[in-house]
């Protein structure tokens, strides 16, 4: 009887040992599957032979990227991510071209009447004029063209409770996309000797309005003034 019990105990012990080993193996297999993760290698960027560029992205291609982001109906934060992802699909030279096209649009909108609209819409602060124009660009070509012709057209985009009409993140989309794609700073590869329509060469503005003379602001942007200035 004692021998039978001993035999039964040893058999049970062996079975449990085999089960434990198999269980460990199973866990090891599962762990391996979870931990192992393949990632696509970064695109090789030859920083030595890559020539600096002063070539803007074609206007149609530029606005198509903006319009695609608008069609996705995203919040501003996600629009920034969306555009950055779209730019990463381009070549490094094209990403530079997007930045230069943005610089050109910012240069062309460095105007007194748009600055007046920015001051009115952003509650009396003019520190974010660049980001205000970035916001206009990010609304698409139709909004941009109308705003350049008549800043009061931005009244169509006014939202109840919205406190700021700026898009700081848009300023950085090309920089971030270029860094993500090449692991290099975009400004190191822009030919600023040739491309001069940027913030280093903004023209001197002759203002046709003054914060000390509210009526002058109302004359420039009567619709926006009436809506924002209480």
């Amino acid at each position: 009887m004692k021998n039978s019990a001993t035999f039964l105990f040893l058999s049970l012990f062996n079975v449990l040992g085999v089960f434990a080993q198999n269980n460990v193996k199973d866990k090891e297999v599962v762990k391996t599957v979870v931990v192992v993760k393949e990632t696509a290698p970064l695109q090789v960027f030859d920083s030595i032979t890559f020539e600096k560029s002063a070539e803007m992205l074609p206007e149609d291609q530029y606005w198509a990227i903006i319009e695609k982001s608008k069609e996705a109906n995203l919040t501003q934060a996600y629009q920034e991510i969306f555009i950055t992802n779209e730019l990463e699909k381009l070549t490094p030279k094209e990403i530079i071209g997007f930045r230069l096209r943005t610089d050109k649009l910012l240069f062309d909108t460095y105007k007194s009447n748009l600055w007046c609209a920015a001051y009115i819409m952003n509650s009396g602060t003019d520190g974010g004029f660049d980001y205000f124009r970035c916001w206009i660009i990010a609304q698409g070509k139709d909004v941009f063209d109308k705003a350049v012709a008549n800043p009061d057209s931005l009244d169509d985009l006014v939202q109840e409770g919205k406190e700021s009409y700026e898009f700081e993140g848009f300023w950085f989309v090309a920089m971030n996309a270029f860094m993500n794609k090449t692991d290099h700073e975009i400004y190191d590869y822009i030919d600023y000797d040739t491309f001069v329509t940027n913030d280093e060469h903004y023209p001197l503005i002759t203002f046709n309005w003054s914060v000390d003379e509210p009526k002058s602001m109302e004359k420039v942007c009567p619709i926006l003034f009436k809506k924002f200035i209480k």
Side-chain angles (χ1 to χ4, degrees):
M1 183 70 177
K2 184 177 180 180
N3 291 337
S4 298
T6 301
F7 176 79
L8 180 61
F9 173 80
L10 291 175
S11 299
L12 181 59
F13 179 83
N14 289 332
V15 169
L16 290 174
V18 172
F19 175 80
Q21 291 177 7
N22 290 337
N23 194 37
V24 169
K25 289 181 179 180
D26 290 342
K27 286 184 178 180
E28 289 175 348
V29 171
V30 172
K31 184 178 180 181
T32 302
V33 171
V34 172
V35 172
V36 174
K37 180 179 179 181
E38 294 185 6
T39 56
L42 293 175
Q43 178 178 332
V44 176
F45 176 72
D46 190 345
S47 60
I48 298 178
T49 61
F50 187 86
E51 296 183 0
K52 291 185 176 182
S53 177
E55 184 178 338
M56 291 184 289
L57 194 69
E59 193 170 0
D60 290 347
Q61 186 178 1
Y62 179 92
W63 287 118
I65 293 172
I66 303 297
E67 294 298 338
K68 188 175 181 180
S69 73
K70 293 299 295 180
E71 290 171 2
N73 194 29
L74 305 168
T75 63
Q76 185 168 287
Y78 281 107
Q79 185 185 12
E80 177 185 346
I81 296 172
F82 184 97
I83 294 174
T84 302
N85 289 339
E86 288 298 306
L87 294 182
E88 289 178 19
K89 299 175 184 178
L90 305 180
T91 66
K93 184 177 180 180
E94 288 174 325
I95 299 175
I96 292 174
F98 184 95
R99 177 65 228 183
L100 297 184
R101 177 65 65 183
T102 299
D103 282 339
K104 178 64 164 60
L105 294 174
L106 291 171
F107 186 93
D108 292 342
T109 52
Y110 191 74
K111 300 179 181 296
S112 174
N113 58 348
L114 279 170
W115 204 323
C116 182
Y119 193 91
I120 293 172
M121 295 180 71
N122 288 312
S123 304
T125 174
D126 58 7
F129 186 40
D130 285 337
Y131 300 147
F132 174 74
R133 288 174 292 145
C134 282
W135 171 75
I136 294 175
I137 295 169
Q139 306 311 306
K141 187 176 188 304
D142 184 57
V143 169
F144 177 85
D145 289 342
K146 289 179 179 178
V148 172
N150 177 20
D152 259 345
S153 65
L154 295 172
D155 177 66
D156 294 337
L157 279 69
V158 173
Q159 299 176 19
E160 187 69 29
K162 186 175 177 65
E163 298 180 355
S164 175
Y165 294 86
E166 297 178 352
F167 195 167
E168 181 179 357
F170 186 82
W171 179 276
F172 300 99
V173 290
M175 304 178 205
N176 292 335
F178 193 87
M179 174 60 74
N180 293 343
K181 193 175 185 72
T182 69
D183 200 31
H184 287 75
E185 296 286 348
I186 192 171
Y187 289 125
D188 293 337
Y189 299 95
I190 295 178
D191 180 6
Y192 281 117
D193 292 332
T194 303
F195 185 83
V196 295
T197 51
N198 54 56
D199 58 343
E200 295 294 327
H201 299 90
Y202 281 159
L204 183 63
I205 291 181
T206 300
F207 287 95
N208 57 350
W209 59 277
S210 170
V211 295
D212 297 324
E213 300 177 9
K215 288 293 183 181
S216 66
M217 300 170 66
E218 184 178 15
K219 186 176 181 180
V220 175
C221 301
I223 296 176
L224 292 174
F225 186 90
K226 182 178 181 180
K227 177 162 288 186
F228 285 90
I229 305 299
K230 306 300 182 181

